[in-house]
């Protein structure tokens, strides 16, 4: 057992030196997604759906407001039975409006997930291809890194290129990362 542990300890420096030579890349997926036409189209669809739902909620609220104002004007002259019936009607309208709002928010979330899932898959596939093409052992999200060494490869533009996203003027002016080891 001692011989095994000693041989294992002797091999550790070799393992660390092999790992030290691995390339590590970083990618800013937010910047990629921001420029991807598919994302812009999906965002527009979601915003259009949200506008339709907002209009429907506003219509329901306006209808409830009109009924509430009518109730308040006529309340003094109503019998108790009519008063209770109208109050119940107003409460039901408020509950329907709240339920509708909740259902519409859930539908917007579902639609967003449905539209964004294939886009995320497309970006992930491109990142994997760029990782392999650049011989990287790992690619990390640049937005969560606390520090990035000079030997890390910023592969954001390479992924954009793989997705067919044209370089913007600001990105073209920035210096490109080199493939240092």
């Amino acid at each position: 057992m001692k011989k095994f542990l000693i041989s294992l300890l002797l091999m550790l420096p070799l393992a660390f030196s092999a790992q030290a030579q691995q390339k590590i890349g970083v990618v800013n997926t937010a910047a990629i997604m921001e420029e991807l036409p598919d994302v812009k189209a999906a965002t527009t669809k979601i915003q259009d759906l949200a506008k339709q739902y907002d209009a429907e909620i506003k219509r329901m609220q306006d209808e409830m407001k009109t009924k509430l104002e009518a109730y308040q004007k006529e309340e003094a002259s109503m019998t108790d039975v009519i008063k209770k019936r109208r109050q119940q009607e107003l409460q039901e309208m408020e509950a329907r409006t709240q339920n509708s709002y909740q259902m519409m928010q859930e539908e917007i979330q579902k639609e967003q997930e449905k539209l964004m899932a294939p886009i995320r898959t497309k970006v992930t596939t491109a990142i994997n291809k760029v990782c392999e093409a650049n011989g990287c052992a790992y690619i990390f999200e640049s937005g969560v890194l606390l520090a990035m060494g000079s030997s890390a490869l910023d592969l954001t533009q390479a992924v954009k290129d793989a997705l067919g996203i044209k370089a913007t003027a600001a990105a073209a002016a920035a210096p490109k990362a080199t493939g240092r080891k």
Side-chain angles (χ1 to χ4, degrees):
M1 185 68 159
K2 279 185 178 181
K3 286 182 181 181
F4 175 73
L5 286 175
I6 292 172
S7 63
L8 184 62
L9 289 174
L10 291 174
M11 294 177 74
L12 277 176
L14 295 174
F16 283 122
S17 67
Q19 283 183 335
Q21 294 177 6
Q22 293 178 340
K23 288 184 185 178
I24 295 178
V26 294
V27 175
N28 185 340
T29 55
I32 293 166
M33 297 288 273
E34 182 178 290
E35 293 185 36
L36 202 59
D38 296 354
V39 173
K40 292 174 184 173
T43 301
T44 300
K45 282 184 180 181
I46 297 298
Q47 288 172 343
D48 290 346
L49 183 62
K51 285 177 188 174
Q52 288 176 355
Y53 287 163
D54 286 345
E56 178 62 16
I57 292 296
K58 184 174 179 351
R59 185 198 62 76
M60 293 173 81
Q61 289 172 335
D62 289 346
E63 182 181 345
M64 190 169 65
K65 182 181 175 186
T66 302
K67 287 202 180 233
L68 179 61
E69 288 171 354
Y71 168 79
Q72 288 171 339
K73 283 180 185 176
E74 301 168 2
E75 182 180 17
S77 63
M78 290 182 194
T79 64
D80 285 344
V81 173
I82 294 174
K83 222 185 260 189
K84 284 182 182 178
R85 188 178 58 79
R86 293 259 181 103
Q87 288 172 348
Q88 184 179 2
E89 187 179 305
L90 287 167
Q91 288 172 349
E92 288 171 1
M93 285 181 80
E94 183 177 359
R96 272 196 313 271
T97 301
Q98 288 175 354
N99 287 338
S100 294
Y101 177 78
Q102 198 169 27
M103 285 175 28
M104 289 175 189
Q105 291 300 312
E106 289 171 8
E107 282 302 310
I108 288 172
Q109 259 182 331
K110 286 178 188 175
E111 187 67 17
Q112 185 173 16
E113 182 57 35
K114 182 179 103 178
L115 293 172
M116 294 304 287
I119 297 169
R120 281 192 298 273
T121 299
K122 182 178 175 180
V123 170
T124 301
T125 301
I127 290 171
N128 287 328
K129 285 180 183 176
V130 168
C131 181
E132 289 298 320
N134 285 279
C136 291
Y138 306 100
I139 292 186
F140 293 100
E141 172 60 47
S142 66
V144 294
L145 292 176
L146 296 176
M148 182 170 71
S150 61
S151 64
L153 300 172
D154 186 349
L155 299 171
T156 302
Q157 189 56 51
V159 174
K160 287 181 181 180
D161 293 344
L163 291 166
I165 299 172
K166 302 281 189 239
T168 60
K176 291 194 174 195
T178 59
R180 289 178 270 164
K181 232 179 172 182

